[in-house]
Amino acid sequence: MLESVNLKRKTLEDYIPFVGEEEVERIRRLSRSLKGLRVLHVNATAYGGGVVELLNSTLPLLNDLGLAAHWALLCREESFFAVTKGLHNALQGKRFELDARARDTYLRRNAECAKMLDAEYDVIVVHDPQPAALRHFHAKGGARWVWRCHIDTSEPDKAAWDFLRPFVEEHDAAVFTLETFVPPDLRLPRVMIAPAIDPLTSKNLDLPIAACRTIVKEFGLDLGRPILLQVSRFDPWKDPLGVLEVYGRVKESIRGLQLAFIGGMADDDPEGWRIYEQVKEKAQAHRDIFLYTNLTGVHAFEVNCFQRAADVVIQKSIREGFGLVVSEGLWKRAAVVAGNVGGIPLQIQDGESGFLAAGTEEFSERIVRLLGDEALRGRFGEKGREAVRERFLITRLVREELELYARLTSG
């Protein structure tokens, strides 16, 4: 049996202050025909990354609505995760040497995990490349299967996609964030569903700014000097070394600038440790660069505080599926500068609710402008929060998930 993740308890009515009674009742009505529906989500890890945050919020709300939602994990194996990280990068365009040994490791582990999937479900959703072959090896039951892709697969490495595509196409549907992310020649019904944030988690809960500043001060930052912040995995697509370059460029104009870099570590991402060491080595020469991870005392609550206390929040992605941290920053009325890639432009209206940027020079110029204009930071903050409230809160995601289940199970 696959390892099961214990789910929290959530109640949809608690979100009325954010989205209103009408939206909550709309979701309740939609769920009535789905009561008792058995839904399973499968991914690779229970901590670290946006998928984990989404499942931690959506599945408890599905249960509150009367569905029977469950969350299971692929069994941990270092060699398997090394292959799937390579496939993950390859789907975003990086070349990956998918040799016979890597193929065997991937297929063997999916086959083993498929045998552990012995309960009956009506809908099974598998996330990203790690469990994409589960359906192939699981011939039992009448469940509808969905492949949920959270990354930009518009220009995948050909060898990697040729390997994965037959397994993906055995599903009943695929879900992407954007139509432009759909890989070439995919013969499968697809649905576009953007991620969302949960305003009632410890990472996004409204907190007094005085308390947040106290927490940030305890981690060694000087509240009398400007703070630049990036929160992301140590992933090449988040360009962590580029963040250090931007910091160096901005500091030429903004004396006393501090950089807080908070990186999430996940057990299905062995590459992250190598990149973390690279960033750590380069950061050691700068006393005003503060490097933290979820394994060194900075968790969801602390991230919340940093995002509220920072003067400018950046997300220097060079390839991005969505980038939940952008909506997180906007929700907290932060002034955000983020890469003009992937799902980020869905969240930011350039020059209205934040800045989109590409490259070190443009990032630096826009950060300097924001740090010198408190009124502009305030306007961005207000418009950014409202944009998230309208489009990127978890209730909208739950509603669209329900609509997908209804279509799948009605034929």
Side-chain angles (χ1 to χ4, degrees):
M1 186 173 181
L2 293 179
E3 181 182 356
S4 179
V5 179
N6 291 326
L7 298 176
K8 301 174 182 178
R9 295 184 63 183
K10 289 181 177 290
T11 302
L12 188 63
E13 274 66 26
D14 291 340
Y15 295 82
I16 290 175
F18 304 104
V19 300
E21 293 184 4
E22 183 176 344
E23 175 65 5
V24 166
E25 178 54 30
R26 178 186 180 189
I27 295 170
R28 288 278 183 201
R29 287 196 304 269
L30 180 60
S31 70
R32 285 169 191 156
S33 64
L34 298 172
K35 288 191 183 300
L37 191 77
R38 299 163 299 178
V39 179
L40 175 68
H41 284 250
V42 182
N43 77 317
T45 181
Y47 72 91
V51 175
V52 171
E53 294 184 16
L54 294 175
L55 296 180
N56 264 321
S57 292
T58 55
L59 299 190
L61 286 172
L62 291 177
N63 285 331
D64 178 62
L65 290 165
L67 286 74
H70 303 272
W71 177 4
L73 303 176
L74 293 174
C75 301
R76 179 182 176 85
E77 183 180 286
E78 292 297 329
S79 60
F80 173 71
F81 286 155
V83 172
T84 57
K85 180 62 177 181
L87 287 171
H88 184 279
N89 287 334
L91 289 180
Q92 296 195 109
K94 185 177 180 180
R95 190 176 181 278
F96 177 53
E97 191 65 38
L98 189 63
D99 57 22
R101 184 175 181 178
R103 292 169 185 254
D104 178 71
T105 297
Y106 179 82
L107 295 177
R108 173 183 52 80
R109 201 56 176 156
N110 269 267
E112 292 170 349
C113 292
K115 292 178 182 177
M116 301 178 193
L117 190 56
D118 51 5
E120 290 292 325
Y121 296 97
D122 300 301
V123 177
I124 298 176
V125 183
V126 298
H127 294 264
D128 287 330
Q130 295 95 328
L134 274 184
R135 175 69 183 88
H136 177 77
F137 295 106
H138 189 273
K140 299 177 294 183
R144 297 288 187 172
W145 286 70
V146 178
W147 185 56
R148 177 54 165 116
C149 183
H150 296 272
I151 56 181
D152 180 353
T153 54
S154 56
E155 298 178 355
D157 173 75
K158 186 177 186 305
W161 179 235
D162 286 347
F163 170 68
L164 282 175
R165 188 177 71 175
F167 303 114
V168 170
E169 289 182 341
E170 292 182 10
H171 293 71
D172 297 287
V175 177
F176 297 89
T177 298
L178 289 169
E179 182 70 41
T180 55
F181 287 1
V182 179
D185 305 321
L186 178 65
R187 296 183 295 271
L188 188 68
R190 73 287 304 261
V191 179
M192 304 306 129
I193 300 178
I197 67 165
D198 186 342
L200 292 179
T201 62
S202 59
K203 196 175 189 182
N204 297 310
L205 196 67
D206 286 337
L207 298 171
I209 187 60
C212 293
R213 289 172 60 84
T214 297
I215 296 296
V216 170
K217 183 178 179 181
E218 289 178 349
F219 279 92
L221 281 89
D222 182 352
L223 298 177
R225 295 188 284 138
I227 299 171
L228 184 65
L229 171 69
Q230 173 151 317
V231 179
S232 68
R233 278 193 182 191
F234 291 99
D235 183 295
W237 305 107
K238 314 296 184 185
D239 198 17
L241 296 177
V243 172
L244 301 186
E245 292 179 4
V246 167
Y247 164 75
R249 181 74 65 87
V250 175
K251 194 169 183 179
E252 294 174 2
S253 302
I254 308 295
R255 295 182 61 184
L257 180 68
Q258 303 164 99
L259 171 65
F261 195 125
I262 303 174
M265 311 302 291
D267 58 2
D268 66 333
D269 185 9
E271 182 185 37
W273 289 105
R274 177 177 59 80
I275 297 175
Y276 168 74
E277 291 298 332
Q278 293 175 352
V279 175
K280 183 179 178 180
E281 182 179 355
K282 288 186 175 293
Q284 284 177 341
H286 304 274
R287 65 178 184 177
D288 286 334
I289 296 179
F290 300 82
L291 192 62
Y292 309 106
T293 76
N294 53 324
L295 303 180
T296 57
V298 178
H299 302 289
F301 174 78
E302 289 80 13
V303 168
N304 190 342
C305 292
F306 270 90
Q307 288 172 327
R308 294 181 186 279
D311 295 279
V312 174
V313 171
I314 67 171
Q315 183 60 36
K316 198 182 179 301
S317 298
I318 55 179
R319 201 76 179 259
E320 187 64 77
F322 185 72
L324 279 173
V325 291
V326 174
S327 279
E328 291 168 9
L330 295 173
W331 181 246
K332 300 173 181 74
R333 297 185 175 87
V336 179
V337 182
N340 190 12
V341 294
I344 292 176
L346 287 177
Q347 304 169 70
I348 292 179
Q349 186 177 359
D350 189 29
E352 293 293 326
S353 57
F355 278 137
L356 298 174
T360 299
E361 183 175 347
E362 190 171 19
F363 262 90
S364 302
E365 289 175 352
R366 296 198 158 190
I367 293 167
V368 169
R369 180 179 171 186
L370 280 171
L371 289 173
D373 192 337
E374 184 176 358
L376 180 60
R377 297 200 302 271
R379 289 198 300 273
F380 279 5
E382 292 302 324
K383 290 184 178 180
R385 181 175 173 101
E386 182 60 21
V388 174
R389 189 193 66 77
E390 291 179 354
R391 301 178 60 197
F392 299 114
L393 292 185
I394 202 71
T395 45
R396 188 269 306 158
L397 177 57
V398 168
R399 170 167 47 81
E400 292 183 349
E401 291 261 343
L402 291 171
E403 291 168 348
L404 172 61
Y405 301 158
R407 288 197 295 273
L408 284 169
T409 55
S410 68

